[in-house]
Structures are given as C-alpha cells and as structure tokens.
Amino acid sequence: MHTRTLGHGLEVSAIGLGCMGMSQSYGPNPGNRDEMIEVLRGAVDEGVTFFDTAEAYGPYDNEELIGEALAPLRDRVVIATKFGWDIQDGNVVGLDSRPEQIRRVAEQSLRRLRTDVIDLFYQHRVDPNVPIEDVAGTVGELVAEGKVRHFGLSEAAPATIRAAHAVCPVTAVQSEYSLWTRDPEAEVLPTLAELGIGFVPFSPLGKGFLTGTVRADSSFGEGDIRSTIPRFSESNMAANQALVDQVKRIAEEKQASPGQIALAWLLAQQPWIVPIPGTRRIARIHENAAATAVTLSADERADLDALARRIGVHGDRYNEFHLGLVGR
C-alpha cells in the first residue's frame, strides 16, 4: 500500500483502520479478544500503518485493545487517539477539554496504549466552554514535552480550525465524509487545503450502506448506533438506494466491490485525504486496502457526483443530540 502525508510530516498508509467498532456501536462486541488482536496485527501485514482509537470507545476498552495488539509492532504503526469527554463511572456524560483534563487523558492514554508517545492527539468534539486557543496551547505543550507528536481536531468548524492552527499546528482534521455525506466540501476542505492540513474521513463507507450489504429492510439490533440515526430508517434507506445501485454498477464494470469504489472516490478527491474504514474482519481489511489500486475516471467520478446532487441524501447523519456537537 502506498502512503500519504497528513499536514507537514505525518506519513501514514493511504487507508487506515477505524477501530471503534471493535469495542462499541455496531451490535454485540466480539467475544474473543484474541481474534481482534489477530485482525489488528493482520492489518499491519496488509500494509495498514494508521490506527484510530479514542478513550471514549468502550470507554477505555478500545485503547487497551490497541495497546496490547500493536505494542510488539509499535515502530511500524501510527496511533491516533482522542480527548475531550467527561467520563464518569464508565459513561460519557458531557464534554471536558480543560487543560488539566487534556493532560490527565494524555497520561492515561499513554498507559493504555503501552507507548511513550501519542502520534496524533485529536480533540474529539469542540468544547464550547474552553477556548480553542487553550486547548491548542495545552496540546502544544505536550508536543514540546515529547508526549504527543501531532495535534488534530474532529468535527470542527473552519473558524475553530484556524484559531487552533494559529496556536499549535493542526496536522489533521477528522470528520464524516463519503459519497453520501458531503458536508465538509463547502468550507472545511477548502480551509484545510489553504492551511496545509490533512483530512481523515471516518465512516467512509456510510456505516456500511455504501458496501451494498445494507438494504432498506435491514434491521439493527440493540447496541447498533445505526438504529438511532435518521438516515438509517427504512424509508430513508429506500430513498438513498439509487446511489448505492450506481456504485454497484461501476463496481461490476471494474471487477471491484462497491466498498472499493466508495473508497477510491474518496482517495481521488485530494492526495491529503486518508479514509479510516472500520471492520472486525481481516477479509474486509484486505478488500479495503486493495481500493488503493482502483482508479476512477473523471467521467465516473462526475457521474457519481451528479447522481448524489440530483437525488440528494435523505435523513440526517446523526440524531439531534449528536448533530449539536459538530461544526463548532
């Protein structure tokens, strides 16, 4: 797999691995921890070097899993984790990006990840009660101390990105972005291009919808985040099916999978975009990694763009509460 550079100097595999689903959000968690460790180490064998986790995933379980799995391979991988939540008794109860909390989370994440430095430390959601300059300044201090290498933001608005970047260089911004979630295109991506900041799309496969394996009549069990997302109601999925059908047609013509087409479309947008699809299966990691060899013509990209604009996307990507946490 080829590599890409985020910001000014963070080299990672062109496709990373979002690890959240190994601990939460997509139904019952895997019962066999050893299997997940095997998947994570297998991803490195596939050329994946960029792994995304967070203290809030579990909470804590995901960082511990990543730490155990990747400790023997630490010199071959880049690990991103996140701060910014108030976690009480194992439950996320609000936001907290106070400087003392950032430092506390950094120390705890270092321990759980079994490392002496965090490669990329994101603010998970912007905390309106703490000036972003204070957040950036604190992470900048951690960089100077050698505990963090790079600073990132997640789901932040352009004005916030600019203000943070002026204090401590922002290496990457993470937000949802895919063929059916185009929100970053209007303002965020131009801002990143201007400032030389990398972009890391999460849910690049539309939480599974763009793989063609989720249908309008699909049901989501307890613990599956999609059961709370308006876009995954039966009526909205039926309305959005036309986009997936077009992705499937292109996939068949290219002897690729729909997921590979969706990832290839993202990779073609900018050379500083690095998607992080999540999975619990090594076969999917192999499939996703192979998307780097799929090339879309300008006409094919234009057809996908035109269809997405024409049919639109039905349903919000988050419920009302979580929508209120993005774009700050």
Side-chain angles (χ1 to χ4, degrees):
M1 187 189 300
H2 67 274
T3 61
R4 292 188 165 197
T5 300
L6 297 172
H8 299 284
L10 183 58
E11 185 175 317
V12 297
S13 53
I15 292 179
L17 178 61
C19 301
M20 180 186 74
M22 293 180 171
S23 298
Q24 66 170 61
S25 296
Y26 288 94
N29 293 331
N32 191 325
R33 184 184 182 89
D34 290 340
E35 288 182 6
M36 291 300 96
I37 290 173
E38 185 177 348
V39 169
L40 287 160
R41 292 176 180 171
V44 180
D45 292 336
E46 290 287 344
V48 176
T49 65
F50 187 33
F51 294 82
D52 182 273
T53 184
E55 62 154 355
Y57 300 160
Y60 312 130
D61 296 344
N62 202 249
E63 283 187 326
E64 291 173 349
L65 172 67
I66 302 310
E68 181 178 354
L70 299 183
L73 308 170
R74 185 65 182 94
D75 61 341
R76 298 170 58 186
V77 300
V78 171
I79 298 175
T81 192
K82 310 177 192 76
F83 64 88
W85 297 103
D86 180 9
I87 302 174
Q88 302 290 336
D89 299 322
N91 296 302
V92 175
V93 298
L95 297 170
D96 189 350
S97 281
R98 293 171 300 154
E100 60 269 30
Q101 174 70 357
I102 296 172
R103 284 188 164 276
R104 185 159 47 243
V105 172
E107 295 295 340
Q108 293 170 349
S109 291
L110 286 168
R111 176 178 52 79
R112 287 189 289 264
L113 292 169
R114 305 187 186 188
T115 186
D116 57 2
V117 63
I118 296 167
D119 296 307
L120 177 57
F121 204 30
Y122 290 103
Q123 183 187 37
H124 209 155
R125 291 293 184 272
V126 175
D127 186 344
N129 296 316
V130 181
I132 194 63
E133 293 84 356
D134 292 353
V135 173
T138 303
V139 177
E141 292 170 359
L142 291 169
V143 172
E145 294 165 15
K147 295 178 179 179
V148 169
R149 289 199 173 103
H150 296 270
F151 175 35
L153 297 169
S154 181
E155 296 276 27
T160 301
I161 296 167
R162 290 182 183 279
H165 190 66
V167 175
C168 178
V170 176
T171 293
V173 169
Q174 179 186 100
S175 293
E176 184 171 358
Y177 184 42
S178 68
L179 271 166
W180 79 338
T181 299
R182 310 291 287 273
D183 310 42
E185 291 178 343
E187 297 182 339
V188 171
L189 292 184
T191 300
L192 303 186
E194 176 191 339
L195 299 177
I197 298 171
F199 187 61
V200 179
F202 64 78
S203 298
L205 300 177
K207 295 181 171 64
F209 191 71
L210 293 172
T211 66
T213 60
V214 178
R215 303 291 301 183
D217 58 355
S218 295
S219 60
F220 305 104
E222 184 178 354
D224 194 315
I225 193 174
R226 291 171 291 189
S227 65
T228 71
I229 296 176
R231 192 169 292 181
F232 281 92
S233 72
E234 184 173 347
S235 59
N236 284 333
M237 284 197 293
N240 292 324
Q241 188 61 40
L243 180 58
V244 178
D245 289 343
Q246 178 65 3
V247 171
K248 284 183 174 180
R249 282 192 288 271
I250 294 175
E252 289 172 0
E253 292 170 2
K254 291 187 169 293
Q255 296 184 320
S257 71
Q260 288 173 333
I261 297 302
L263 290 172
W265 177 87
L266 271 175
L267 292 170
Q269 301 307 301
Q270 294 290 348
W272 37 266
I273 287 179
V274 178
I276 50 168
T279 185
R280 298 171 176 176
R281 298 168 53 196
I282 192 64
R284 287 293 187 196
I285 290 174
H286 177 76
E287 176 185 328
N288 294 340
T292 59
V294 176
T295 302
L296 297 178
S297 70
D299 285 345
E300 288 166 336
R301 295 199 305 270
D303 286 346
L304 287 169
D305 288 341
L307 179 63
R309 285 193 299 269
R310 186 171 72 250
I311 67 172
V313 177
H314 298 256
D316 289 329
R317 66 186 181 97
Y318 281 136
N319 60 28
E320 186 175 354
F321 171 76
H322 287 285
L323 278 178
L325 299 177
V326 306
R328 290 172 164 173

